[in-house]
Amino acid sequence: TPAERIRNFCIIAHIDHGKSTLADRMLQLTGSVEDRVMRAQYLDKMDLERERGITIKSQAVRMPWHVNEEDFILNMIDTPGHVDFSYEVSRSLAACEGAVLLVDAAQGIEAQTLANLYLAIENDLEIIPVLNKIDLPAADPERYAEEIAGLIGGDPEDVLRVSGKTGMGVEALLDRIVDRIPAPKGDRDASARAMIFDSVYDTYRGVVTYVRVVDGEIRAGEKIQMISTGANHELLELGVSSPEPKKAKGLAVGEVGYLITGVKDVRQSKVGDTVTNATKPATEGLPGYVEPKPMVFSGLYPIEAGDYTDLREALDKLKLEDAALNYEPETSVALGFGFRVGFLGLLHLEIITERLSREFDLDIITTAPSVTYDAVTEDGVTHHVTNPSEFPEGKISEVREPIVRASILVPKEYIGKVMELCESRRGSLISMEYLSEERVELRYTLPLGEIVFDFFDQLKSRTQGYASLDYEPIGDQADDLVKVDILLQGEKVDAFSAIVHRDSAYSYGTMMAERLRKLIPRQQFEVPIQAAIGARIIARETIRAIRKDVLAKCYGGDISRKRKLLEKQKEGKKRMKMVGRVEVPQKAFIAALSGD
Ligand code: GDP
Ligand code: MG
C-alpha cells in the first residue's frame, strides 16, 4: 500500500474509558473480524489483562476503510495504559501520526489520559478528541467537550461523540481519522529503518516483533539487522495483523507489521530498537531508543524452601517474554534463598508475582519494594544499592535517590488533602492548574521511594478514589537518607532493613519493632527488638521470657501422647528460622513484611 493511503493511529484513554470496546466496534465496522467470531475485547489476549481490565502488552491491527471512493489502510496501535510501561507507550506513540483522545463522557479527563496526551503532543501527533459512552444517562458531553477544548484548543463542537457500545458515531470517527491524520512520510529508496514498538514472546512462534517502517522496505526472506547490537537475524516470516496474523511479501514506508526471526528471547529484539536490512544496513538508528531500566526492586522468596529451583525456572521463562524483568540470586537470614528482582514499577511487580502464583503455582513472599540508591562513601566510591541490606557501612558523604515528576488530578475539594500527603512525602509543588471549574491538576516532584511506599493507596483513600496519578522519572537527587536496621537480640534481620529519610527513621523503626514484638512468640529468655541507624539504637521493644515446658503438662501421662507432642514440635522447628539464638516462625516474618 502506498504511504498516501495509510493512516497510523493509537487510542489514548484512561482505564475503563472504553478503548477495548471501541476497538471491537472498529474491527466489526471495517469487516476485520466477522460478527460470528467477534467476542468482547477481542484484542486483549492475556487472561490477566482481561480480568483486571488493563492492557499490559500493546498490539497492532490493520483495518481496511473505504471513504470518498478511495481505499485506505488504518493501522491501530494499542498502547499499554499504565505508568509502569510509559516507555512502551512512548514507542507506540512514536509509531503513529495521530492519536484518538478517548474520554468517558461521564467522567472527564484523568491523569493517565493527560500524561499520554502530553506525550502525544511532544511527538507531534494529530489529536482527534472523542467523547465516548454517550449512551450513558450520566453522560455530560457538553461539559467535557468544554474541558477538552480548554486543554487542547479548538471548538467544543468539534469533539466527536461516540458510543463504543452501541457503535454510534464510530463510522464518523473512522472517516475523521482518514481526513485529519497525516499520511506517513519516509524515504522509499533509503536503507530500511523500522522501529520496534512491541516484542512479544509466543510459545509456538518464538518472539514476534511488531514494527513500523519509517524508511525503505523490509522484504520477506531477507536478512535483517538490529541496529543497537549489530546482530543479524534470518527473517522467517513477515506479515500484518488483520487482526489474525497474515503473511506478506514486504513492509514498505509507513506500514506496520510483524517480523519473526526465530529468536527465543525478547531481549534480542527490544522495544525502541531499529531494524534494518543486513545487506545494506542503515548507519543510524531511529531516535529515542533506551534500554529498559528497572526502577523498583524487591526480594522474592519461596515460602517452601524446596520451591527455589521452580522459582528460578519460572523467572527464566518470564524473562523470555519480558525484557524489563531482571533478577539475581540473593540470600536472607530471615527468608532463606531467593532472588532480588528489578521491576519497572509496582504494577509490574504485581503482575509478575501474580503470574508466578497463577501460572507456576508458586507461593512466594516479596520484601518491601525499594528503589535504587547511589551511596557515595568517604573515599569517593559510588555504591549502587538495590537491596537496603547492602547499603555500605561507615561514613557516607552523599546518598542520591530517583525523583519523579508526578501529575495528580483531583476534584478541587481534595486539593488540601493531596497537598498534605505530597508534602509529608517530601514532594515539592511545581504547578497547580484548573482543568475546569471543578478539577485541578497538581504537579509535584517526589522521590520515587516515597511513591512505592503505599502512596497510591493513601492518595485513593484521602480522595475517596477520585484522584488519579501518573508520573515519570526525571533523574536523581541527594537527600538526608539513612539505613534503618532491625535487630533481634542484637542480630540484624536483613529483610527488614530499609533506606528512609532521617525524619522518618524513628517512625519506621518503631512500627517494625512493634510489629515483630506482636508476631514473634516468647522464648525462654528475654528478646530485645531494636531499630538502629548504624550503631545508634533509635527504638526498642522487648519480648518477655516464658518458661515453656510442654512436656511438664503431661507428666505421668501416656508415652504416645508425649511422643506426638515432641514430633509436633520437631515439625514446627522446620519452619523456624534461627536469628542468633532466637527461634522465629517464618510465618512471623512473612506477616511482618506484608503488614497484616
Ligand atoms: P478500556 O479499559 O479503556 O479498554 O475499557 P473497556 O473497553 O474495557 O470498557 C470499560 C467498561 O466500560 C466496560 O464495562 C464496557 O462495557 C464499558 N463501556 C465501554 N464503552 C462503552 C460505551 O460506549 N457505553 C457504555 N454504556 N459502556 C461502555
Ligand atoms: Mg482495555
Side-chain angles (χ1 to χ4, degrees), residues 538-560:
I538 56 167
R540 179 187 162 119
E541 294 275 336
T542 308
I543 304 170
R544 281 181 299 120
I546 47 148
R547 286 228 124 255
K548 177 175 91 180
D549 190 353
V550 284
L551 294 183
K553 276 193 219 133
C554 40
Y555 181 72
D558 80 85
I559 195 80
S560 72

Side-chain angles (χ1 to χ4, degrees), residues 363-404:
D363 281 334
I364 50 170
I365 174 78
T366 54
T367 62
S370 154
V371 300
T372 309
Y373 297 91
D374 280 336
V376 186
T377 39
E378 269 196 317
D379 51 9
V381 177
T382 302
H383 303 258
H384 210 53
V385 182
T386 57
N387 180 349
S389 71
E390 285 162 8
F391 197 74
E393 303 292 333
K395 245 188 161 341
I396 307 285
S397 51
E398 186 178 79
V399 185
R400 289 190 301 269
E401 61 182 340
I403 303 291
V404 300

Side-chain angles (χ1 to χ4, degrees), residues 6 8 60-62 75-77 95 197 210-213 239-241 251-252 254-258:
I6 298 174
N8 296 324
V61 37
R62 179 183 170 110
N75 289 307
M76 174 168 60
I77 294 171
F197 62 86
Y210 292 88
V211 296
R212 143 77 199 257
V213 178
V240 296
S241 316
L251 293 173
E255 288 195 291
V256 173
Y258 67 86

Side-chain angles (χ1 to χ4, degrees), residues 18-122:
K19 186 164 78 172
S20 302
T21 309
L22 177 64
D24 287 351
R25 284 302 80 67
M26 288 181 167
L27 290 174
Q28 269 182 317
L29 281 169
T30 58
S32 305
V33 176
E34 284 176 59
D35 290 349
R36 89 193 143 77
V37 292
M38 191 70 204
R39 55 172 198 270
Q41 319 220 317
Y42 192 87
L43 298 171
D44 295 355
K45 292 215 171 109
M46 218 186 264
D47 283 349
L48 206 62
E49 286 183 58
R50 263 169 209 267
E51 265 169 49
R52 303 176 139 225
I54 51 171
T55 309
I56 298 164
K57 272 294 185 186
S58 45
Q59 286 269 340
V61 37
R62 179 183 170 110
M63 302 177 287
W65 190 241
H66 187 82
V67 57
N68 300 335
E69 318 274 293
E70 282 185 294
D71 288 320
F72 289 87
I73 289 296
L74 309 183
N75 289 307
M76 174 168 60
I77 294 171
D78 196 12
T79 54
H82 193 275
V83 286
D84 283 8
F85 306 102
S86 65
Y87 176 62
E88 291 183 26
V89 176
S90 85
R91 293 305 84 201
S92 344
L93 294 180
C96 305
E97 277 76 28
V100 171
L101 173 66
L102 188 72
V103 177
D104 186 323
Q107 304 279 331
I109 289 168
E110 298 290 349
Q112 186 66 65
T113 334
L114 208 54
N116 289 345
L117 173 64
Y118 293 148
L119 275 176
I121 293 172
E122 274 167 36

